[in-house]
């Protein structure tokens, strides 16, 4: 499973590092530093698992009613799923934000620097976590209704399309901060993409039923 712990830098060995251990410096096509966010994306995925289950529960309802041309029922189920998913993630985000220090300390006790770095990254994730429900529900709807291109794009957005460039580019001007906020930036961009996709493709889904 995911973890956000790290082996500390032994006191007195700081000068032995090619780059400062927690700098997140980008050089020679690498991000240099001791890992404080080893599987951050996986941890974020675990937090979102309940919402994927909600989305999967939505898919049969969406598929049956879309096939029958029942737009009102599809929309009702979709917005119900968005509200429930967002509410679950909001509660999770609030708990994670408030208890971030304690949660990180569970994995790395007695190292204030590591706890501070991991705690800030977790809080950044929690700020944007409620937006993920919108992304998930749009992905599920497009997938079920046969719109594979927007569905695939949304599926890859948070942890690939936007996250990889963010975690590679943001440390260039921001250093460690760029690494810490990369998932949150990716979430914001994925949310914006989902809004665009919904406005563009949702009306098209029903054109085949127009007389």
């Amino acid at each position: 499973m995911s973890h956000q712990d790290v082996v500390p830098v032994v006191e007195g060995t700081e000068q032995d590092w090619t780059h400062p251990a927690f700098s997140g410096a980008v050089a020679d096509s690498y991000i240099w530093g001791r890992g404080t966010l080893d599987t951050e994306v996986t941890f974020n995925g675990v937090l979102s698992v309940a919402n994927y289950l909600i989305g999967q529960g939505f898919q049969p309802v969406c598929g049956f009613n879309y096939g029958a041309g029942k737009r009102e029922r599809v929309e009702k189920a979709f917005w119900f799923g968005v509200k429930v998913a967002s509410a679950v993630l909001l509660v999770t985000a609030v708990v994670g934000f408030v208890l971030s220090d304690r949660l990180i300390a569970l994995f790395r006790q007695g190292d204030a620097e590591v706890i501070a770095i991991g705690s800030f990254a977790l809080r950044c994730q929690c700020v944007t976590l409620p937006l993920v429900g919108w992304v998930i529900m749009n992905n599920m709807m497009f997938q079920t209704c046969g719109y594979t291109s927007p569905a695939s794009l949304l599926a890859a957005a948070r942890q690939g399309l936007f996250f990889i460039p963010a975690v590679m580019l943001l440390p260039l001007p921001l250093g460690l901060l760029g690494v810490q906020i990369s998932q949150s930036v990716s979430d914001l961009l994925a949310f914006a993409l989902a809004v665009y996709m919904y406005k563009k493709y949702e009306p098209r889904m029903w054109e085949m039923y127009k007389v």
Side-chain angles (χ1 to χ4, degrees):
M1 295 301 290
S2 177
H3 56 97
Q4 293 198 358
D5 60 338
V6 63
V7 178
V9 176
V10 178
E11 187 175 354
T13 65
E14 292 84 359
Q15 71 281 357
D16 297 333
W17 290 76
T18 304
H19 296 276
F22 298 115
S23 66
V26 178
D28 303 322
S29 301
Y30 295 98
I31 299 176
W32 294 78
R34 200 61 137 167
T36 59
L37 313 170
D38 337 39
T39 50
E40 181 179 337
V41 177
T42 306
F43 184 76
N44 189 268
V46 171
L47 294 178
S48 305
V49 67
N51 296 280
Y52 282 102
L53 293 176
I54 293 170
Q56 289 179 352
F58 159 74
Q59 285 185 303
V61 177
C62 177
F64 293 143
N65 286 285
Y66 180 69
K70 304 293 184 179
R71 182 172 186 173
E72 182 179 351
R73 293 183 180 180
V74 172
E75 291 178 345
K76 185 177 180 180
F78 171 78
W79 286 108
F80 175 79
V82 169
K83 291 174 183 177
V84 173
S86 299
V88 170
L89 285 176
L90 179 61
V91 172
T92 304
V94 170
V95 173
F97 190 93
V98 173
L99 301 179
S100 60
D101 290 339
R102 296 182 182 181
L103 291 173
I104 300 301
L106 290 174
F107 302 100
R108 186 65 216 172
Q109 296 181 2
D111 196 325
E113 184 178 12
V114 171
I115 292 173
I117 293 171
S119 175
F120 180 77
L122 181 56
R123 286 178 177 175
C124 289
Q125 283 191 330
C126 289
V127 169
T128 56
L129 189 60
L131 302 179
V132 176
W134 170 256
V135 180
I136 292 173
M137 291 304 300
N138 275 278
N139 176 29
M140 296 293 185
M141 179 175 69
F142 291 134
Q143 183 183 108
T144 304
C145 296
Y147 283 73
T148 55
S149 294
S152 299
L153 198 59
L154 288 176
R158 288 187 61 243
Q159 298 179 359
L161 181 64
F162 294 131
F163 178 74
I164 294 175
V167 79
M168 293 298 295
L169 297 177
L170 291 177
L172 293 174
L174 300 176
L176 177 60
L177 176 62
V179 179
Q180 290 173 305
I181 67 173
S182 57
Q183 183 63 66
S184 297
V185 171
S186 178
D187 287 345
L188 286 171
L189 293 174
F191 177 80
L193 177 63
V195 171
Y196 170 77
M197 290 293 187
Y198 179 82
K199 290 183 177 180
K200 180 178 181 179
Y201 289 103
E202 197 277 339
R204 295 185 185 182
M205 289 167 43
W206 302 101
E207 289 180 355
M208 58 186 279
Y209 291 104
K210 292 182 180 179
V211 178

